[in-house]
Amino acid sequence: MEKHNNGSSTGTLYVVGTGPGSAENMTVAAINALKMSDIIIGYKTYLELIPEFLEGKEVISSEMMKEVDRCGKALEYADLGKTIALVCGGDPGIYAMAGLVFEMAQKAKNSCKIEILPGLAAINSCAARLGAPLMHDFAAVSLSDLLTPWLLIEKRLEAVAMADFVTAIYNPKSKKRTEQIVRAREIFLKHRSPETVVGIVTAATRENEKIIVTTLKELLENEIGMQSTVIIGNSQTYRWNDLMITPRGYSDKYQI
Amino acid sequence: MEKHNNGSSTGTLYVVGTGPGSAENMTVAAINALKMSDIIIGYKTYLELIPEFLEGKEVISSEMMKEVDRCGKALEYADLGKTIALVCGGDPGIYAMAGLVFEMAQKAKNSCKIEILPGLAAINSCAARLGAPLMHDFAAVSLSDLLTPWLLIEKRLEAVAMADFVTAIYNPKSKKRTEQIVRAREIFLKHRSPETVVGIVTAATRENEKIIVTTLKELLENEIGMQSTVIIGNSQTYRWNDLMITPRGYSDKYQI
């Protein structure tokens, strides 16, 4: 892919999506970007999932919530002419760091080249592990109200519940935030049957992966954590064996 | 990844996402699935993008709209004990063939193993080429009314326009379907400023790639075709150089 933001610096910042967290589930382009980089910067947990790409590199790892620091360092080193990989779990463009990189580069007038290497987001990998839950019109909503007013999140949940979207819930629950998923379920129950199929995927494709297919009624009786994505089916979604399947059509125009 | 639907047949059907259309943008797991397969089945246009994986394989390619035939053949051969790759452009789970495969396997009582290998969907690769247009809550809506009643599509557009979702429009326009994007724009203009930033990505990452950053007002003055995805920004999305950026926060809790 071509690079964005052609500036005067000879450095390059690759914003690299590592997908659910292993070399196998990364794209060839993302792997190549890591190999070409002098310095690899990322959140500790994501870097630990790809140890084979860190050997012989300068590695700057940091804790969660230090996104602004990580972005700032990545841009600073790239401006000095280095080739940097800023690692994001999932896809940099979906609830990750692509936006912050551009926001900061604009304010700091950085002149390095910036290239986004997309990866499999939770929405891609969790769907594949559940069978075929998306398949039709869908929405993604994060329940984290750290940077978004809760009233806007409720308005969005209400809108997509009412219009029968398959809905992927990002950041459903953390140790401190436990009430948002309770409220989200209430909103969906106003518009959808308690028997609506719901999938919960925790740590997709990793060693500790856990896949649950349940219903809106029983959603809260299941384990939901920091590594979970919740996918609420639409009115047509059904369960078959251990799978969650949304038919592609509302009509029966094709015969199968 | 583990396989779904453990049956009595020794055959395996891999449903493989090839992403925007080159080996570089596929995952290692998807490439490996193609290599392990005896027979590769897919829509002609997608197979032509990955010639290096077809050598020495039995290849069954077919025209568009023959999805049911392709799925049926893939399941039939897998049931006979073969290893089959059914190729989808993008991600099999997003407006592609994962759902149809399970729907048909269920009805025909197929007993082969089925594994979905996710790929970069248009939503991932087009976003990366535009900069960072998603970043916040987003929805995907297809304007094709072949299998979905148009009134439901309108209801969905209305819902996500009203609730300020970044919205990715799949299948915005074809030679025969030209009025749906006109109506979609009208619906968004009821809820969003004419200056709302809109991205149009055609043939992302391919030789004939075309990237346009425009506004809701001027959307229809631009070329939109069968290979285009349209991404409508939310109220906070802005343009910077040739990029489309949605800030990650509605509040200013973090200092950059």
Side-chain angles (χ1 to χ4, degrees):
Chain A
M1 295 194 190
E2 275 170 53
K3 292 162 188 172
H4 292 299
N5 185 27
N6 265 309
S8 58
S9 161
T10 56
T12 298
L13 172 53
Y14 294 113
V15 188
V16 180
T18 54
S22 71
E24 205 192 8
N25 291 305
M26 289 174 66
T27 67
V28 174
I31 289 172
N32 288 342
L34 292 182
K35 287 182 180 168
M36 285 184 287
S37 295
D38 305 309
I39 307 176
I40 295 184
I41 302 180
Y43 170 41
K44 207 162 155 273
T45 305
Y46 295 135
L47 294 185
E48 284 169 359
L49 292 167
I50 48 162
E52 63 269 54
F53 301 117
L54 307 182
E55 278 170 39
K57 307 279 184 187
E58 185 175 339
V59 176
I60 303 174
S61 77
S62 66
E63 300 301 322
M64 205 165 60
M65 311 294 287
K66 295 279 183 192
E67 292 95 335
V68 175
D69 284 358
R70 286 201 294 276
C71 269
K73 267 185 197 150
L75 286 162
E76 187 187 317
Y77 289 130
D79 255 21
L80 293 173
K82 297 269 189 187
T83 303
I84 313 292
L86 179 65
V87 167
C88 304
D91 184 335
I94 296 184
Y95 298 116
M97 294 173 72
L100 187 59
V101 166
F102 288 119
E103 287 183 72
M104 291 183 68
Q106 180 185 12
K107 293 206 180 168
K109 300 193 195 316
N110 291 105
S111 64
C112 59
K113 294 166 193 72
I114 300 173
E115 185 176 358
I116 309 293
L117 282 304
L120 296 178
I123 211 167
N124 306 282
S125 40
C126 296
R129 303 300 293 131
L130 283 164
L134 302 178
M135 290 317 301
H136 214 285
D137 301 329
F138 66 91
V141 180
S142 166
L143 298 193
S144 168
D145 54 356
L146 197 65
L147 298 170
T148 309
W150 176 250
L151 282 180
L152 178 59
I153 299 173
E154 283 214 0
K155 184 180 177 182
R156 286 181 176 159
L157 293 169
E158 194 83 52
V160 292
M162 181 268 298
D164 205 27
F165 278 87
V166 176
T167 306
I169 305 280
Y170 275 71
N171 305 310
K173 200 174 173 181
S174 71
K175 277 181 191 159
K176 287 184 185 166
R177 286 188 311 96
T178 57
E179 283 309 305
Q180 283 87 345
I181 187 70
V182 176
R183 183 71 191 120
R185 175 178 168 276
E186 281 170 6
I187 291 170
F188 272 84
L189 280 172
K190 293 198 318 198
H191 301 278
R192 272 179 227 184
S193 155
E195 300 307 322
T196 303
V197 183
V198 177
I200 306 168
V201 181
T202 303
T205 78
R206 297 184 198 162
E207 262 183 25
N208 58 331
E209 181 188 74
K210 195 168 175 190
I211 300 169
I212 297 168
V213 179
T214 180
T215 60
L216 209 42
K217 189 170 71 186
E218 290 169 353
L219 171 60
L220 300 177
E221 292 159 36
N222 295 283
E223 200 183 312
I224 302 173
M226 289 279 284
Q227 295 185 68
S228 306
T229 303
V230 174
I231 299 184
I232 301 172
N234 70 18
S235 62
Q236 312 294 303
T237 304
Y238 65 94
R239 183 181 180 145
W240 177 49
N241 299 330
D242 56 345
L243 301 174
M244 179 175 174
I245 298 164
T246 300
R248 60 175 195 160
Y250 273 71
S251 49
D252 277 319
K253 286 202 185 157
Y254 66 104
Q255 293 290 322
I256 62 173
Chain B
M1 296 192 189
E2 275 171 54
K3 292 162 189 173
H4 293 301
N5 185 26
N6 265 309
S8 58
S9 161
T10 55
T12 297
L13 171 55
Y14 294 115
V15 188
V16 180
T18 54
S22 71
E24 204 190 9
N25 290 305
M26 288 174 66
T27 67
V28 174
I31 289 171
N32 288 341
L34 292 183
K35 287 182 180 166
M36 285 185 287
S37 295
D38 305 309
I39 306 177
I40 296 184
I41 302 180
Y43 170 41
K44 207 162 154 272
T45 305
Y46 295 134
L47 294 185
E48 283 169 0
L49 292 167
I50 48 163
E52 63 269 54
F53 299 118
L54 307 182
E55 278 170 38
K57 306 281 186 187
E58 186 176 339
V59 177
I60 302 174
S61 77
S62 66
E63 300 301 322
M64 205 164 63
M65 310 294 287
K66 295 280 184 190
E67 294 95 336
V68 175
D69 284 358
R70 285 201 294 276
C71 269
K73 267 185 199 152
L75 286 162
E76 187 186 319
Y77 289 130
D79 255 22
L80 294 173
K82 298 271 189 185
T83 302
I84 313 292
L86 179 65
V87 168
C88 304
D91 185 334
I94 296 183
Y95 298 117
M97 293 174 74
L100 187 58
V101 166
F102 288 120
E103 287 183 70
M104 290 183 69
Q106 181 185 10
K107 293 206 179 165
K109 300 193 193 317
N110 291 105
S111 63
C112 59
K113 295 166 192 72
I114 300 172
E115 186 176 358
I116 309 295
L117 282 304
L120 297 178
I123 211 166
N124 306 284
S125 40
C126 296
R129 302 301 292 131
L130 282 164
L134 303 178
M135 291 318 301
H136 213 284
D137 303 328
F138 66 91
V141 180
S142 165
L143 297 193
S144 169
D145 54 356
L146 197 64
L147 298 170
T148 309
W150 177 250
L151 282 180
L152 177 59
I153 299 172
E154 282 214 359
K155 184 179 177 181
R156 286 182 177 158
L157 292 169
E158 195 83 50
V160 293
M162 182 268 297
D164 206 26
F165 278 88
V166 176
T167 305
I169 305 280
Y170 275 70
N171 304 312
K173 199 175 173 182
S174 70
K175 277 181 191 159
K176 287 184 187 166
R177 286 190 310 96
T178 57
E179 283 309 305
Q180 283 86 345
I181 186 71
V182 177
R183 183 70 190 120
R185 174 177 169 275
E186 281 171 8
I187 291 170
F188 272 84
L189 279 172
K190 293 198 319 198
H191 302 279
R192 272 178 227 185
S193 155
E195 300 307 320
T196 303
V197 183
V198 177
I200 307 168
V201 181
T202 303
T205 78
R206 298 185 198 161
E207 261 184 26
N208 58 328
E209 181 188 75
K210 196 169 174 187
I211 300 170
I212 298 167
V213 179
T214 181
T215 59
L216 209 42
K217 189 170 69 184
E218 290 169 354
L219 171 59
L220 300 178
E221 293 160 36
N222 296 281
E223 199 183 312
I224 302 173
M226 289 278 285
Q227 295 184 69
S228 306
T229 302
V230 173
I231 299 183
I232 300 171
N234 70 17
S235 62
Q236 312 292 304
T237 305
Y238 65 94
R239 184 181 180 147
W240 177 51
N241 300 330
D242 55 346
L243 300 174
M244 178 174 173
I245 297 165
T246 300
R248 58 176 196 160
Y250 274 71
S251 50
D252 277 319
K253 287 203 181 155
Y254 66 104
Q255 293 289 322
I256 61 174

